[in-house]
Amino acid sequence: MTGSPRVALLHTGAVVIAPVSELVKRDLPDVTAINYLDDRIVADLSDAERAESVPERILDLARAAKEAGASALMLTCSSISELAAPTAEAVGIPVLRIDEAMADEAVATGQRITVLATLPTTLRPTTGLIRERAALAGRSPEIEGVVIEGAFAAVAGGDRPEHDRLVAAAIAEAAERSDVVVLAQASMASAATGDAGVPVLSSLASGVARLRDLVAAL
């Protein structure tokens, strides 16, 4: 094999490609990233008939990534994080969840954790991941999940300022009853610009840092 090592990034939304790619360039300058996108996955997860196709679609993209020379794959969407382990087992390369490091940080930060999401399909796997990581750490935090009504519709309609306003308001409200606030979607990070009084965690930087550590260990 010639050239730089390769990693694959599997996305369910185009909005995440640029910020994740920039972080990969910064933290893994000697690595070539390959981006894969299926921008119907989130919508299809809410469709009883089409949802059944998602695991196989993820598997197909992971196989393509391996054929392209990727030594590791990162899922950049929390909605599909539950597919990381079975996909890795089937394809034979490590599959990392971008929000795993964020979940670990949340568990280590405080007992009262509020998870904010703009979609129910993302809220459930993110809270599940935090419970999983908490169990591994021997902790039992109080986890509250909140779907921010109207935020996803705003950003899907191109109104990023309205999305950020709704998310920022939800962060401020959640901070009053939480030790740490978790943003379930990487696309929500643009709203976390103020001082909430408690840590507000998003997955991008910590997730890419863990990918860097994984690649270094391979």
Side-chain angles (χ1 to χ4, degrees):
M1 182 175 63
T2 60
S4 62
R6 291 184 167 193
V7 298
L9 307 171
L10 200 162
H11 313 281
T12 64
V15 68
V16 180
I17 295 177
V20 173
S21 297
E22 286 301 313
L23 286 170
V24 170
K25 288 179 183 178
R26 185 194 73 184
D27 290 356
L28 295 89
D30 299 324
V31 169
T32 297
I34 312 170
N35 290 286
Y36 294 88
L37 170 67
D38 184 337
D39 64 1
R40 292 302 304 172
I41 281 179
V42 172
D44 288 350
L45 284 172
S46 299
D47 184 318
E49 292 184 5
R50 295 189 185 277
E52 295 180 359
S53 72
V54 171
E56 189 64 30
R57 285 151 64 183
I58 297 297
L59 189 56
D60 287 343
L61 292 172
R63 288 178 176 136
K66 184 178 181 181
E67 288 298 316
S71 57
L73 168 68
M74 183 164 70
L75 306 179
T76 68
C77 175
S78 300
S79 293
I80 56 174
S81 63
E82 294 171 323
L83 298 175
T87 300
E89 183 178 358
V91 177
I93 60 173
V95 179
L96 180 66
R97 301 171 287 194
I98 196 170
D99 48 358
E100 183 178 288
M102 176 183 69
D104 288 342
E105 185 177 354
V107 169
T109 299
Q111 176 67 15
R112 300 174 302 163
I113 302 172
T114 297
V115 181
L116 300 179
T118 63
L119 285 169
T121 53
T122 305
L123 183 63
R124 183 187 59 79
T126 301
T127 55
L129 174 60
I130 293 173
R131 289 191 180 94
E132 172 196 322
R133 304 305 291 183
L136 288 173
R139 299 181 181 236
S140 301
E142 302 169 13
I143 305 171
E144 178 187 5
V146 177
V147 176
I148 306 169
E149 296 297 333
F152 182 77
V155 76
D159 193 347
R160 169 64 67 171
E162 176 64 6
H163 165 277
D164 288 358
R165 185 190 69 78
L166 291 169
V167 174
I171 291 172
E173 181 181 349
E176 296 179 359
R177 60 182 185 277
S178 310
D179 297 317
V180 57
V181 176
V182 171
L183 304 182
Q185 288 136 272
S187 59
M188 298 169 68
S190 59
T193 56
D195 182 7
V198 299
V200 179
L201 307 181
S202 61
S203 60
L204 290 183
S206 60
V208 172
R210 185 158 292 187
L211 176 64
R212 177 196 62 209
D213 295 342
L214 171 63
V215 171
L218 292 177

